[in-house]
Amino acid sequence: MRAPSRAILNWPASAALLALVPGLALAGASVTPSGPEVAENLLRIELHFDQPLTAPLDMAHVVLLDSAGAPIRDAFLDLPLADRSGTEATLLLHPGRIKRGVGPNVALGPALRSGESVTLRIDDPQLGRPLEQRWQVTAPLRQRIDPQQWTVQTARRGGRGPLLVILPAALDGAARDQIAVQGPDGLRVRGTATLAAGEREWRFTPARNWRPGAYLLRIHPQIEDPQGNRLCSAFEQDAQSAERCEDEGKLAFAID
């Protein structure tokens, strides 16, 4: 399969390490995964700020609490990642505690445990007020992303009703911009995409009325879920970190 067309898909640049960014005390912040549940092998938590951070997020003020309210030690890597704007940061849970059979996993076990609850608490003074998010922990998800398991609910032709793609499990927050709609003419359909329902629904509203014909969802090779699973491999698959996902995913649908 050939590489995806950059002219059609026009994907955003990758995230970079956070640099100091001028800013004010934050008026608000949100977290993804935004749903009520996370898998036991959760790898990534994304933070979305209303205003740029004034300094790198201080991990001394970031903690995961177990069901009893006790801190889970060694849950995170020490270095958060953020985009160039400073309005988004990514917390990485320690991969050694996620991958079965490696040292930290054997010694400490997983940081999250299925059947229990976990609470993220951030009280970095930059935020203006503490941020908390609570999840119920479910069984681990160790399968690659398979678009053939997605359900497409098509809109009616002649209108601008949203296209709805229902996903069997939540995607990473960045997935909003990593899925494109190709129209019957082979060109990208312009419009607005959002993730909803705890990142388990992708909704797309076209800029112009839908035309009848054959359409194609085109999924960027680098799309991931919060567990680090990708199109070409699951996070725990042998040599996954060295494997490059180069083939985009595709899912056909039609508007009659």
Side-chain angles (χ1 to χ4, degrees), residues 170-244:
L171 291 175
D172 190 280
R176 181 195 67 182
D177 301 317
Q178 293 177 317
I179 303 171
V181 179
Q182 179 178 303
D185 58 2
L187 300 177
R188 180 173 184 165
V189 178
R190 300 296 173 182
T192 303
T194 59
L195 285 171
E199 297 75 59
R200 296 185 64 166
E201 291 181 2
W202 185 80
R203 298 177 181 177
F204 179 81
T205 302
R208 298 182 178 180
N209 292 346
W210 292 107
R211 294 182 296 165
Y215 287 77
L216 196 64
L217 283 185
R218 296 180 62 177
I219 301 106
H220 193 279
Q222 300 304 317
I223 197 170
E224 293 190 7
D225 65 17
Q227 294 71 238
N229 301 313
R230 302 183 294 171
L231 283 177
C232 65
S233 63
F235 179 69
E236 289 199 51
Q237 183 172 317
D238 290 342
Q240 186 265 7
S241 59
E243 185 171 355
R244 295 181 60 187

Side-chain angles (χ1 to χ4, degrees), residues 61-177:
H61 291 273
V62 179
V63 64
L64 277 178
L65 306 173
D66 64 17
S67 299
I72 302 172
R73 68 185 182 97
D74 299 325
F76 292 110
L77 293 181
D78 292 336
L79 184 65
L81 304 175
D83 69 349
R84 293 184 178 92
S85 71
T87 59
E88 296 187 1
T90 300
L91 306 176
L92 296 175
L93 278 77
H94 199 306
R97 296 192 65 174
I98 295 172
K99 289 196 172 185
R100 294 167 293 179
V102 301
N105 177 268
V106 173
L108 301 174
L112 310 186
R113 297 181 183 273
S114 178
E116 299 183 0
S117 65
V118 63
T119 300
L120 171 71
R121 180 177 175 83
I122 304 175
D123 59 2
D124 188 317
Q126 299 179 80
L127 272 63
R129 61 179 180 270
L131 172 65
E132 286 195 359
Q133 177 84 17
R134 183 180 181 275
W135 297 285
Q136 188 67 27
V137 182
T138 62
L141 294 173
R142 298 191 174 100
Q143 297 80 36
R144 70 177 183 85
I145 298 172
D146 183 5
Q148 299 307 311
Q149 295 182 2
W150 299 1
T151 300
V152 180
Q153 295 184 358
T154 57
R156 293 183 178 182
R157 68 176 181 178
R160 295 182 56 241
L163 177 76
L164 178 61
V165 181
I166 301 174
L167 313 162
L171 291 175
D172 190 280
R176 181 195 67 182
D177 301 317

Side-chain angles (χ1 to χ4, degrees), residues 20-37:
L20 296 180
V21 181
L24 304 172
L26 300 175
S30 61
V31 179
T32 51
S34 65
E37 299 177 341

